Amino acid sequence: MLGKASESCDVYSFGILLLELASGKKPIEKLSPTMKRTLTGWALPLVCQNKFSEVADPKLNGKYVEEELKRVLLVALICAQNQPEKRPTMLEVVELLKGDSKEKLANLENNELFNPTKSGSHQEGSSSAEDSTDFISEEKDEEELKEEKADHAHSS
């Protein structure tokens, strides 16, 4: 947000990249001319409901190891959560992706990000399935709409 690079920003970007790879989707999906949804906003509720196969890239045709997909999605979402101080380090990300420690993976699965009801009430600013930043409204002024129509008319 401050325009400064940090390890936390790198972790976030890596999480988004993992989500793109696993789902085959772009980071922001256009739902309507004025509304967009983030990839995390789409994937997090499905992961919270253990619907990992619904997040998987359809081009995979179900040809993946369910446990590996689950691990990639959990790691991706923990990296891309809104609160930088709760993101893992890249060293921890590598350890989690290797999957050597069943204990660390279990801790990841039990993280409050994936179990919003366990943490009691939703705290303001927390990254949950209902997070308001999951949908991006694009209210365009009349000038922008005129420009878009003009651009569209020239390209047709």
Side-chain angles (χ1 to χ4, degrees):
M1 281 174 36
L2 302 172
K4 295 179 182 175
S6 69
E7 181 180 355
S8 183
C9 291
D10 291 345
V11 170
Y12 176 86
S13 297
F14 186 73
I16 297 297
L17 177 68
L18 283 178
L19 275 177
E20 287 181 80
L21 290 171
S23 69
K25 290 186 175 283
K26 294 182 177 184
I28 298 178
E29 176 185 18
K30 197 169 194 172
L31 299 175
S32 73
T34 60
M35 188 67 72
K36 294 180 180 183
R37 176 175 56 192
T38 64
L39 184 52
T40 54
W42 167 77
L44 183 58
L46 292 170
V47 168
C48 288
Q49 297 167 27
N50 292 320
K51 295 181 178 178
F52 303 103
S53 60
E54 289 184 35
V55 181
D57 187 339
K59 292 177 189 163
L60 293 172
N61 294 319
K63 296 178 183 167
Y64 54 84
V65 178
E66 179 99 21
E67 275 303 306
E68 290 178 3
L69 174 68
K70 177 180 176 180
R71 184 167 61 239
V72 166
L73 292 174
L74 291 172
V75 171
L77 288 166
I78 207 79
C79 288
Q81 64 183 310
N82 289 340
Q83 294 174 289
E85 67 278 3
K86 292 190 175 183
R87 294 179 197 146
T89 64
M90 281 307 294
L91 185 61
E92 292 168 325
V93 169
V94 171
E95 288 177 8
L96 288 165
L97 287 174
K98 282 182 178 178
D100 296 337
S101 172
K102 300 285 181 211
E103 182 184 334
K104 286 182 182 177
L105 194 60
N107 288 342
L108 182 61
E109 285 182 64
N110 292 320
N111 186 289
E112 66 186 55
L113 181 67
F114 308 117
N115 303 289
T117 53
K118 281 187 184 173
S119 61
S121 63
H122 290 287
Q123 292 134 358
E124 194 167 321
S126 69
S127 184
S128 71
E130 292 84 26
D131 196 321
S132 61
T133 60
D134 295 338
F135 291 93
I136 303 165
S137 178
E138 285 191 335
E139 296 295 324
K140 297 184 180 178
D141 61 29
E142 287 183 41
E143 195 60 40
E144 284 180 298
L145 292 171
K146 285 179 190 173
E147 287 176 20
E148 275 188 13
K149 284 181 183 175
D151 288 345
H152 185 69
H154 293 298
S155 64
S156 297

